[in-house]
Amino acid sequence: HPQAKKETARVYYQKNAERERMKSRAYWARFHDVIRARNSAARKRLRDEIIEHYGNNCECCGESIRDFLTLDHVNGGGKSHRMEKGNSERIYRDLKRQGFPKDGFRLLCMNCNWATRLGEPCPHKGTCRSVGTPVLVRGA
């Protein structure tokens, strides 16, 4: 009975809260480097999984260096999505849970993401592949 186990654990913790907090602090003090490394590796794997499922390169300019890539909300709404979920990692987990929906999301490099965020054309020369229109290059 999972509910009974939960209730038993809750009651135990209430009675022994300070002792359990001390155990938790001691565990963290002893293993914090290992825990942080494990969590960091898990976040990197999740981000890599997102990048793979959304095409491995910028949909606009073709940039493939992973450090430059970011998930873009095609019709805006990224800020409200982050406010709802809390941070990018939680958004990634939610998208994975949903089976990596393609509708409404795409992979862009930070240059293309910020340019389109401000309502301007892609900063790269030539034609922006996702829009199919000529791109004006500033200062040219």
Side-chain angles (χ1 to χ4, degrees):
H1 299 286
Q3 284 302 102
K5 280 185 175 183
K6 266 186 174 178
E7 182 60 22
T8 302
R10 188 184 66 76
V11 169
Y12 174 83
Y13 187 83
Q14 283 178 341
K15 289 180 180 176
N16 300 286
E18 187 57 35
R19 180 175 164 222
E20 291 299 311
R21 279 194 291 272
M22 294 293 284
K23 282 173 39 180
S24 181
R25 284 187 198 119
Y27 185 86
W28 174 256
R30 186 171 175 198
F31 296 108
H32 74 276
D33 291 338
V34 174
I35 294 168
R36 285 185 178 201
R38 184 184 61 218
N39 290 346
S40 179
R43 280 191 302 276
K44 184 182 181 327
R45 280 192 308 272
L46 179 61
R47 185 172 187 279
D48 286 347
E49 208 171 337
I50 288 288
I51 289 172
E52 286 176 27
H53 276 86
Y54 286 96
N56 281 314
N57 57 18
C58 176
E59 194 174 292
C60 183
C61 69
E63 178 64 67
S64 61
I65 298 174
R66 287 180 176 237
D67 291 342
F68 298 157
L69 299 176
T70 185
L71 190 66
D72 179 54
H73 292 72
V74 175
N75 299 315
K79 180 180 179 182
S80 60
H81 198 186
R82 280 189 309 279
M83 296 297 283
E84 175 190 331
K85 296 297 177 187
N87 60 30
S88 297
E89 182 184 357
R90 289 183 179 163
I91 290 173
Y92 295 165
R93 276 194 248 138
D94 188 48
L95 292 175
K96 182 177 179 178
R97 217 175 289 120
Q98 293 176 34
F100 304 101
K102 298 281 185 191
D103 190 35
F105 300 97
R106 65 183 172 179
L107 207 57
L108 293 180
C109 70
M110 289 304 284
N111 282 338
C112 294
N113 184 294
W114 275 82
T116 59
R117 175 181 177 258
L118 300 173
E120 295 190 20
C122 172
H124 297 96
K125 295 179 182 177
T127 300
C128 183
R129 293 190 321 210
S130 65
V131 180
T133 58
V135 174
L136 300 175
V137 179
R138 292 182 191 158

